[in-house]
């Protein structure tokens, strides 16, 4: 039937051309077809697609998002962890207080997944407010009370015994647990693309601020220091392997309240819990300058919002290290 329809149309076209040729007056040729319209077609006038952005850096993305969810890996941050492996590939890092005034890192991976990451250490209740919705945590485990709370918050986690989590034979326990994130990511599937972790913007959006080329975040027994060099921030007391340091474009310091997690570690220290909700003071370091502001977060799963006295504060797109410094018993210093 379709072939017959094409044949009939062809016959009609031929007949119309014959009539047009005979219709010329005084032997003149029939006028040529009118010039095509200069008005754009629907396809030419259609709007270009909206750009897509990486949720953990705010940078523009080309192509489709990864199939795996955000993977947050808990990494030891004491001298015993040296050298840390895989931090250079992280999209974003959050440093949080643990027992004894030391810190632990939550390294976020989404746009890029390294072959290995470690040393992998345990979760804390603080992570409930740090880990974004839909993410999976790679960890060495946690205390029973913490596991109960993490499970209650609906956060999936992977630990020793799962494929891709292994002991590095050249290191001593408990600093020898590592994870092959590339292998792990292939087994995970995200239900939907994650939302932006921070309110992203551009350097042009920032207030002028004050000069600040060095800063130190003091947690008690541990301090993390940064210097502005070559357009970014260098962690001058990092435990990362050489060439595998986190390349921070900005350092965001948020002053947080800290409570008691309700148990003690094996050494007898009370375990603190960062209350990453509510509001507090914020310091955004970018481009060798510092902008003072405030942060707010509606509940543990709420979005992080930043502001100055003049209005909303955004973080320039790029890689960010977030320091969750205790408002009490913690300190932040910086200098020109």
């Amino acid at each position: 039937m379709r072939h017959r329809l094409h044949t009939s149309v062809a016959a009609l076209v031929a007949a119309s051309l014959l009539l047009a040729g005979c219709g010329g007056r005084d032997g003149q040729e029939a006028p040529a077809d009118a010039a095509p319209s200069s008005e754009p077609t629907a396809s030419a006038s259609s709007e270009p697609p909206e750009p897509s952005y990486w949720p953990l850096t705010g940078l523009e993305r080309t192509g489709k998002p990864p199939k795996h969810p955000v993977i947050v890996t808990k990494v030891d941050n004491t001298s015993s962890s040296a050298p840390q492996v895989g931090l250079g590939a992280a999209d974003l890092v959050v440093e949080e207080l643990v027992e004894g005034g030391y810190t632990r890192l939550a390294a976020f991976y989404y746009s890029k997944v390294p072959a290995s990451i470690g040393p992998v250490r345990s979760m804390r209740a603080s992570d409930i407010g740090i880990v974004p919705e839909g993410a999976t945590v790679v960890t060495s485990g946690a205390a029973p009370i913490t596991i109960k709370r993490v499970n209650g918050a609906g956060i999936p986690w992977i630990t020793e015994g799962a494929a891709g989590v292994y002991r590095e034979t050249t290191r001593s326990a408990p600093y020898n647990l590592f994870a092959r994130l590339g292998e792990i990511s292939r087994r995970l599937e995200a239900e939907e693309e994650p939302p932006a972790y921070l309110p992203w913007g551009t350097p042009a959006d920032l207030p002028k601020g004050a000069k600040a080329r060095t800063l130190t975040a003091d947690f008690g027994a541990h301090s993390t220091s940064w210097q502005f060099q070559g357009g970014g921030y260098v962690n001058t007391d990092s435990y990362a392997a050489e060439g595998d340091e986190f390349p921070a474009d900005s350092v965001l310091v948020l002053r947080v309240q800290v409570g008691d997690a309700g148990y003690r570690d094996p050494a007898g220290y009370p375990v603190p819990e960062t209350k990453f909700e509510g509001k507090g003071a914020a310091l955004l370091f970018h481009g060798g300058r510092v902008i003072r502001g405030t942060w707010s977060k509606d509940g543990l799963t709420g979005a992080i919002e930043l502001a100055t006295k003049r209005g909303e504060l955004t973080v320039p797109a790029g890689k960010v290290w977030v320091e969750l410094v205790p408002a009490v018993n913690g300190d932040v210093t910086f200098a020109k």
Side-chain angles (χ1 to χ4, degrees), residues 192-259:
E192 58 185 15
E193 190 174 356
Y197 193 78
L198 292 170
W200 300 111
T202 68
D205 300 328
L206 296 179
K208 185 177 180 180
K211 289 184 179 180
R213 299 185 68 87
T214 65
L215 69 124
T216 297
D218 187 357
F219 291 82
H222 174 80
S223 296
T224 298
S225 297
W226 299 89
Q227 285 187 357
F228 181 67
Q229 298 178 10
Y233 289 84
V234 176
N235 183 351
T236 57
D237 46 17
S238 172
Y239 300 121
E242 185 176 356
D244 203 8
E245 300 90 348
F246 180 78
D249 296 301
S250 303
V251 178
L252 177 62
V253 178
L254 306 179
R255 304 304 300 270
V256 294
Q257 299 298 319
V258 177

Side-chain angles (χ1 to χ4, degrees), residues 61-75:
R61 185 189 73 223
T62 57
K64 296 181 179 180
K67 294 182 179 180
H68 62 77
V70 172
I71 303 174
V72 179
T73 305
K74 296 306 302 291
V75 180

Side-chain angles (χ1 to χ4, degrees), residues 253-274:
V253 178
L254 306 179
R255 304 304 300 270
V256 294
Q257 299 298 319
V258 177
D260 192 331
Y263 66 98
R264 293 177 178 268
D265 73 352
Y269 291 103
V271 176
E273 178 182 350
T274 295

